[in-house]
Amino acid sequence: MTEEKYTIHKYKRILFYVVILVLLAAFFLGQSIYPSEREPVTEESITYAGTFYRELPDGTEEEIQVPDRYDVPAGELLVIRSVLPQDYNENTIAIRSSLENVRIYIGGELRTVYDTKNTRPFGKNSASGYVFCETSGEDAGQEVRIELQSFTEKYSGVVNTVYCGDKLDIWGYIFHCYFMVTLIACTMLFSGLVVLIISLVLDIVYKTRFDLEYLGWCMILGAVWMLGESKLRQLFVPNASILSNMCFFVVMICPVPIMFYIDSVQQGRYRKVYHVAECIICVNFVICTVLQVLNIADFISTMFLSHIVIAGTFLTIFITICRDLIKGTAKHYKLPLIGLVAAMIAVMLEMTAVYRVVSLSGIFIAIGLVALLVVTLIQTMDRIRELELARQKEARETLDYLTGLPMRHKGETLIIEKMQEHDGCLGFVDMDNLKKINDVYGHKAGDHALRLVGAMLTACMENAVVCRLGGDEFLFYLSEVSEVEMNTQMRKLFDSFEAAKNATTETSPASLSCGLCMCRQGECFEEYYIRADKALYYVKQNGKNNYRFYEELVEQ
């Protein structure tokens, strides 16, 4: 069956794609035109509207705005309070902790405690997360007291929005606000894993490294960062503290795969420089981790060191790129260069944002890595095309076009490699009367006979290395076989050849002669080659369509 017969007709394929595109367009159009069936939940409808007061250290209090930030030393309590309205009937009060321990009292009763000192692996602060306190209509008119405590200067005194309403409504609003960023992070994680797997498969197939491998790790690390910073993280992991710490580990090691990537793209020209940068990254990683484990300084306090290392790494990469541009050696990686610059700019924007806002989303990193992925895929496809062309060229130069077997040089190289690893049997095969077949039946018949012999050798000598020496001669090596087993294999070969001859309508004068020599692992190929050749010569001189072992000649 030809390819055209089983290939789906192009008009069917076009029609299928048109239908899919129409359905997608109808879906998005319907979502934008028709009204929402979801009950609307706005920030105003779930935000606590009462007045909050802050208790000052001297026992007085002052009215405050929520959300806001106040001057509170690290480690000290920030206490805020309010009185629930008389018509209060909600079931939940919630507040987001920003690296803070949280205690919520209702009417003097401690209702909720958020403190991860017994669940976090190390560090002084509880991971950021939403803290929920159950309430009811019976709490109307009661005092709400919220105590916040952070051991990091940057987050001490932070008061986030206080929510009030149905717990599902509050989560629904949070989900609505941050779902897209989390979805992007999950997509990046999945894409990074797929890219990494594809890269490893390509490595196996083409026996060479692809830049996709390092990009895959960049995407995975970027996705972990985004998931760790996601406001929804406590929904999809049981221990948010560990995921939070993973974010900081990612920040510390993220320059490594980026340097691996650019080093591969630059073909190792600046490897020594990058080695120095990698050592600096390792030192920073060890120092920051030790400080965190010993509770001397949290990751958030040493973050500026990691940012300095990242900035220094990017500056180093930028200098090497400029050097390549000046020397004209950057032209072979101009596409990855564009994507890499976009990714580095995105990371720098993300780093800058951390000093301006309380939390990060990682969206800049996602955009930069997507840009880098697109250009790297284009570059990878070009490289695969070049490798395929090289492979086809090598196949044309090393494989016999008629039988599909390796030619002499390639075949002998493979046999020598096999002989160094295993005992076995080396065999010469000669198809007799090829000239007569060509003269009587034509060269097509001769070619058919040669293809037949090559196919039978491959089929009858399973796991053997078979090659065509030229003309009507073949050479094979079958490893891990005894002389008795070799006799069985040879009878199978000759029987198959005779059956094929008898199946033709014309009487063929073709016959086979074979010389064999049992070989020991690691010994000289040339010596066994000569012995097998002598055995073949003996068969041709003493009756064709037969085979003989060299060892039998020695015994005679």
Side-chain angles (χ1 to χ4, degrees), residues 500-534:
K501 281 175 53 178
N502 296 333
T504 60
T505 55
E506 301 171 339
T507 302
S508 173
S511 61
L512 294 181
S513 298
C514 186
L516 306 171
C517 180
M518 302 304 296
C519 307
R520 297 182 62 181
Q521 175 187 349
E523 295 196 1
C524 181
F525 167 75
E526 287 77 10
E527 182 64 29
Y528 288 124
Y529 186 92
I530 293 172
R531 293 178 182 179
D533 190 32
K534 287 181 178 179

Side-chain angles (χ1 to χ4, degrees), residues 324-340:
D324 279 350
L325 289 171
I326 293 171
K327 296 172 64 176
T329 53
K331 58 184 178 182
H332 72 277
Y333 67 95
K334 54 186 178 182
L335 273 179
L337 175 61
I338 296 171
L340 185 64

